[in-house]
Amino acid sequence: MKLVQPICRDGLTNADLAFLQSVLAPDGSAAEALLLLLADPPMRDQLLDEPAVFQAVLEQPLPINISPRLYFYVLVRHRFHECGLEDRSLADYVASLMADSMAGSRIFNSGQGSARQAAFYAVDVMAQIQQAGFCERFWLTVCLAERSLVVTGLFRPHVDYRATYRGAPGLNYYENIGQAHYRAAGDHHLAHEYCLTDCYQALGSRFTEARRALNYVAETLTFMGQDGLN
């Protein structure tokens, strides 16, 4: 299993850089200077927080022409900041998770990714965790926590639909599982080894706030609602 890392800010593509140049240096006169600033992590963080960048990301037509990582980082960071979740690394980790989950969606290309992909059986993963060895248990715990955040954050209408019409578990079920398993993952020594302790612990204590912020991103700021729910 490959752990999700907060790599959105470090993984800007050439298309992302061209997009940022078009927004922040539209006349081209400061294009080279801007690239130098974007190569400096503290300055890059400040530039990605610029209101003009957020607005330009919102106005992206379909299919979106910037990377999923830049797209989700700008939106997640903006909403997390509004909700008092100030840690950029946390926003980056969550955006990286959302980007990995949605990279095949039709909002970025002609793929057929949809809310149907969000359905999973948490009880099966929990059974595997009980039977797993020490390291495998960590991987499965992280996987379950992350799947719970994706399904409750990006696909809440799908969760509500299945709970209402198909007798599936509801929002609180996945939220409690996600919070508990992020907390467990944050206490594991492998989280420290992979520099993910702070992100896991933050989501173990503030899962609901992060989930609500992602609900807002999915329902208000993105095209996520265009994917089917049945």
Side-chain angles (χ1 to χ4, degrees), residues 96-206:
S96 295
L97 175 60
M98 300 301 111
D100 285 357
S101 301
M102 292 302 300
S105 170
R106 62 186 177 185
I107 71 173
F108 294 102
N109 51 47
S110 59
Q112 297 301 311
S114 77
R116 296 180 182 88
Q117 297 176 353
F120 74 104
Y121 296 98
V123 65
D124 292 340
V125 183
M126 287 189 286
Q128 293 176 42
I129 290 173
Q130 294 302 314
Q131 300 298 320
F134 184 69
C135 291
E136 185 184 7
R137 178 173 294 193
F138 171 71
W139 307 117
L140 291 171
T141 297
V142 172
C143 178
L144 184 53
E146 290 180 339
R147 290 292 297 276
S148 298
L149 184 59
V150 170
V151 75
T152 59
L154 294 186
F155 300 113
R156 178 177 178 175
H158 184 63
V159 173
D160 293 341
Y161 176 91
R162 287 175 57 82
T164 301
Y165 296 105
R166 299 188 180 181
L171 180 68
N172 288 341
Y173 173 82
Y174 289 111
E175 190 172 86
N176 289 336
I177 286 175
Q179 181 167 284
H181 285 78
Y182 266 122
R183 188 180 298 119
D187 290 337
H188 200 287
H189 79 86
L190 285 176
H192 177 74
E193 183 176 327
Y194 286 96
C195 301
L196 287 166
T197 300
D198 289 345
C199 289
Y200 293 165
Q201 289 181 344
L203 289 167
S205 62
R206 305 186 71 178

Side-chain angles (χ1 to χ4, degrees), residues 13 15-16 19 57 60 63-71 74 108:
T13 66
D16 294 337
F19 166 78
V57 167
Q60 280 281 292
I64 292 168
N65 294 318
I66 58 176
S67 72
R69 288 174 179 169
L70 177 60
Y71 180 74
V74 171
F108 294 102

Side-chain angles (χ1 to χ4, degrees), residues 20 25 28 46 55 65 68 71 86 90 100 106 130 134 185 187 208 212 220 223-224:
L20 292 169
Q46 293 295 325
Q55 190 60 40
N65 294 318
Y71 180 74
E86 295 290 353
L90 178 62
D100 285 357
R106 62 186 177 185
Q130 294 302 314
F134 184 69
D187 290 337
T208 298
R212 288 173 177 166
T220 308
F223 298 101
M224 298 289 297

